[in-house]
Amino acid sequence: MFTPFCHILKLCLEKILVQCILQSRTLSGADAINALRPFYFAVHPDFFGQHPKEREVNENSLKRLNGYLENLQKPGFRSFKPTQLTFYVREREPNSSDVQESFSASGFRAVSFTLHTRDLLSTVLDILNSCSLSTEHIQSLNVNSQTHKEAKSAVNRPIKWDKTYYSFTGFKDPEEELEQAQRVETTLISWLDGNEASAVKKLKKSLPLRKELERLKFELSHQLELSDIRWQRSWGIAHRCSQLHSLGRLVQQRPEVLKNVKGRTVVFTDRSGMSAAGHIMLGTMDVHHHWTKIFERLPNYYKLQKRLLFLEDRISQLLGGIQVIYIEELQPLLTLEEYYETLDSFYNKLRDSRLPFHPRSLRGLQMILESDRYAPSLHEFGHFTIPTVCDPATLQWFIFAKAQEARENLKRKEEMMITEKELIDTSTEKFSLDRLYKEPSVSSAQMIDCCKRLLEESLPYLQGMHLCISHFYSVLQDGDLCIPWNWKN
């Protein structure tokens, strides 16, 4: 008789607390990120290394979600479009007491929902509820409102249940879970001990396919005189071979349509076209008919690319010689047409404002344009990130104020790149690795710190392996070992 009563009491109090939070309607961006931690843990692409399709879906949906959340924080932003998202959510093992194994290795479910809320708090609650994740932890966030101080006081006061409550209801004690998580914190050595055999087995199985991939890539690059062949996603070796075989068949069937690809880079990605960086994009879900159209349109793309380069040059002249660049690793994947529209809109705004930049006063500096931001910033690598909607006066003040710091960051970037390469080469040699690389989201500073600490260790497990520096531990489907850059030992 106690179990139903306690369960009902808990649900009622939970509902009251959520209502109190909703009344205050104020949530900071940092609070939103903290509140969504269980969600990010359940859907993060790094946990889907052995499931490339699900990983890709989650990567795309996370980008759209982050854009939606960022728009919510823009002052005066009113234009909202309902956003439908699909995520693969990792399932918890029903009777697992081990925190490290609380999610099954391959169990996940697809969840689709539509966001149409206009504040961070409602959006966060919608996401968690749609994925059947708890909202209890939101009560401890620093949600405040001048007109609802009593609600704030009630919400921020944590409820401490008696231990007997968890015995009667079967719910997990959060304090015990936290203690257990701290006790079983994964270390590099323990994780390698438990996963080396699996990685070696998968790596050996993938070796013939890896050789086939290199052969296909070399032959196609040589035959078409390509600069490079790349992949946007972390697809498996078999998937990549399949894509190259498909391109090879098109070369045999329609060789005349590929006469204009000389010197270009082909990127297998989500959609077909030409990228802002000037690469030929082949959508992996498209058939040969779509690819053929892209190759036939290349002369028109090249003309548009010349107009784009002219726009970049005009913007540079208006901004004292600062160079406009596009960084694939840091910016959204844009088509040539999308990027041209962005540049054109920004150029027209600059031209009308007539900012008084002295000619060539900012030569040597760099900037990138982004349409999903609203405040300018300076990256650790020295380039300015400028929103297309940035007020010209604000832009001028920000660049003048940060110019010297930008030059120092650019110089430090060159030094870091050299140090990073040296440490990668040294680590590869010391541990007899077949390959050492990092994910794009891992910064040079993080990679340098990781390699320095690795070189202090003795790790015979790594001989002949492919090691990827990431943010989480995982073994990819082809045997690559992924370890977090800030691994513990």
Side-chain angles (χ1 to χ4, degrees):
M1 63 182 289
F2 290 102
T3 302
F5 172 77
C6 290
H7 183 61
I8 292 171
L9 175 62
K10 180 176 182 290
L11 290 177
C12 290
L13 287 172
E14 193 176 283
K15 186 175 181 180
I16 292 171
L17 287 167
V18 171
Q19 287 175 341
C20 288
I21 296 173
L22 287 172
Q23 287 175 351
S24 66
R25 288 290 176 191
T26 305
L27 192 69
S28 70
D31 284 338
I33 295 299
N34 287 330
L36 287 173
R37 283 186 184 279
F39 165 76
Y40 288 131
F41 184 69
V43 305
H44 199 284
D46 283 356
F47 288 111
F48 291 82
Q50 299 180 10
H51 305 280
K53 174 189 172 185
E54 290 75 16
R55 178 188 177 108
E56 182 180 344
V57 169
N58 283 10
E59 284 179 345
N60 291 332
S61 293
L62 278 174
K63 286 183 179 179
R64 296 177 63 202
L65 172 60
N66 290 338
Y68 189 94
L69 294 175
E70 188 165 347
N71 282 338
L72 288 177
Q73 300 173 65
K74 294 180 181 179
F77 194 86
R78 292 292 179 267
S79 177
F80 284 87
K81 293 182 180 179
T83 301
Q84 184 171 4
L85 301 172
T86 296
F87 286 99
Y88 285 93
V89 181
R90 297 191 298 145
E91 293 276 28
R92 284 187 177 275
E93 296 283 8
N95 299 314
S96 176
S97 59
D98 188 339
V99 173
Q100 294 297 318
E101 299 296 331
S102 60
F103 285 94
S104 61
S106 60
F108 45 77
R109 54 192 168 87
V111 175
S112 296
F113 52 91
T114 301
L115 295 178
H116 49 75
T117 46
R118 292 174 176 265
D119 66 279
L120 277 174
L121 184 55
S122 297
T123 303
V124 167
L125 290 171
D126 279 357
I127 294 170
L128 294 174
N129 288 326
S130 297
C131 296
S132 302
L133 297 171
S134 173
T135 58
E136 291 182 27
H137 60 290
I138 296 181
Q139 63 184 274
S140 62
L141 295 176
N142 186 24
V143 181
N144 55 68
S145 172
Q146 292 181 352
T147 58
H148 292 90
K149 290 184 178 179
E150 292 182 3
K152 175 196 172 207
S153 176
V155 170
N156 285 338
R157 186 172 61 249
I159 294 180
K160 292 191 67 84
W161 298 91
D162 189 89
K163 297 293 183 182
T164 55
Y165 165 77
Y166 300 103
S167 301
F168 278 118
T169 63
F171 291 112
K172 292 185 177 181
D173 185 342
E175 292 184 359
E176 287 186 3
E177 283 194 308
L178 178 60
E179 291 175 3
Q180 186 180 34
Q182 291 172 340
R183 287 196 302 270
V184 299
E185 184 178 20
T186 302
T187 65
L188 178 62
I189 300 298
S190 66
W191 187 82
L192 289 175
D193 275 336
N195 292 275
E196 182 213 6
S198 171
V200 169
K201 183 179 178 180
K202 290 179 178 179
L203 180 61
K204 286 182 178 179
K205 186 178 179 181
S206 75
L207 289 178
L209 276 176
R210 290 181 186 271
K211 291 180 180 178
E212 173 72 358
L213 179 66
E214 289 302 313
R215 182 188 68 81
L216 289 169
K217 184 177 177 181
F218 174 79
E219 289 181 357
L220 282 171
S221 297
H222 179 73
Q223 184 177 359
L224 299 175
E225 298 184 75
L226 295 172
S227 175
D228 195 9
I229 298 177
R230 301 180 192 170
W231 287 263
Q232 181 199 5
R233 303 287 177 201
S234 301
W235 285 303
I237 305 297
H239 197 169
R240 296 186 181 201
C241 285
S242 175
Q243 291 158 0
L244 291 183
H245 277 300
S246 187
L247 179 59
R249 285 193 296 273
L250 179 60
V251 173
Q252 293 176 349
Q253 296 166 5
R254 299 289 305 276
E256 73 280 1
V257 302
L258 291 108
K259 61 184 178 181
N260 294 311
V261 302
K262 182 179 179 180
R264 294 284 168 168
T265 293
V266 168
V267 182
F268 290 97
T269 181
D270 300 324
R271 51 182 173 165
S272 297
M274 179 168 278
S275 73
H279 302 325
I280 301 168
M281 302 190 302
L282 299 181
T284 58
M285 301 301 291
D286 292 339
V287 295
H288 283 182
H289 174 68
H290 295 101
W291 289 4
T292 300
K293 284 188 174 182
I294 296 303
F295 289 122
E296 290 174 343
R297 291 176 190 159
L298 285 180
N300 291 330
Y301 279 127
Y302 296 157
K303 290 178 183 177
L304 180 60
Q305 189 178 28
K306 287 183 179 179
R307 291 166 57 193
L308 185 148
L309 294 174
F310 175 77
L311 264 182
E312 287 184 336
D313 186 58
R314 294 295 295 159
I315 292 172
S316 176
Q317 291 178 24
L318 292 173
L319 293 179
I322 190 171
Q323 182 185 8
V324 183
I325 60 174
Y326 177 83
I327 304 177
E328 291 180 279
E329 296 81 7
L330 299 178
Q331 294 181 256
L333 184 67
L334 300 175
T335 64
L336 197 67
E337 298 93 332
E338 291 170 341
Y339 190 48
Y340 181 85
E341 289 179 6
T342 298
L343 287 171
D344 188 51
S345 172
F346 186 72
Y347 168 70
N348 290 329
K349 178 183 287 190
L350 281 182
R351 184 187 57 189
D352 295 340
S353 66
R354 301 181 181 276
L355 292 176
F357 281 98
H358 189 278
R360 298 183 295 279
S361 61
L362 298 176
R363 287 188 67 180
L365 297 182
Q366 300 173 337
M367 61 170 278
I368 64 175
L369 277 175
E370 289 202 0
S371 57
D372 59 350
R373 293 178 180 269
Y374 60 94
S377 62
L378 176 62
H379 194 271
E380 62 174 341
F381 277 174
H383 62 263
F384 290 96
T385 300
I386 306 299
T388 54
V389 297
C390 186
D391 173 66
T394 302
L395 170 63
Q396 180 187 14
W397 175 86
F398 186 82
I399 291 180
F400 278 150
K402 297 287 185 177
Q404 183 57 36
E405 184 180 349
R407 296 187 190 279
E408 293 170 358
N409 286 4
L410 281 169
K411 183 178 179 181
R412 187 160 57 248
K413 171 192 173 182
E414 295 177 3
E415 297 170 350
M416 288 180 66
M417 298 295 283
I418 295 173
T419 302
E420 181 183 9
K421 185 180 183 306
E422 290 175 348
L423 286 170
I424 289 175
D425 292 341
T426 304
S427 300
T428 302
E429 182 179 355
K430 175 179 178 178
F431 301 115
S432 301
L433 287 163
D434 196 64
R435 185 188 179 201
L436 174 59
Y437 62 104
K438 67 174 184 176
E439 289 194 341
S441 57
V442 176
S443 69
S444 290
Q446 292 170 336
M447 187 67 173
I448 289 171
D449 176 70
C450 176
C451 288
K452 283 182 176 179
R453 292 188 298 113
L454 279 175
L455 288 170
E456 296 174 357
E457 302 294 326
S458 175
L459 301 169
Y461 318 84
L462 299 181
Q463 185 173 354
M465 300 302 293
H466 291 243
L467 182 63
C468 174
I469 308 304
S470 176
H471 295 278
F472 298 94
Y473 287 104
S474 64
V475 178
L476 301 185
Q477 64 188 57
D478 295 304
D480 294 47
L481 287 166
C482 293
I483 65 171
W485 68 271
N486 56 344
W487 52 270
K488 301 292 189 298
N489 209 7

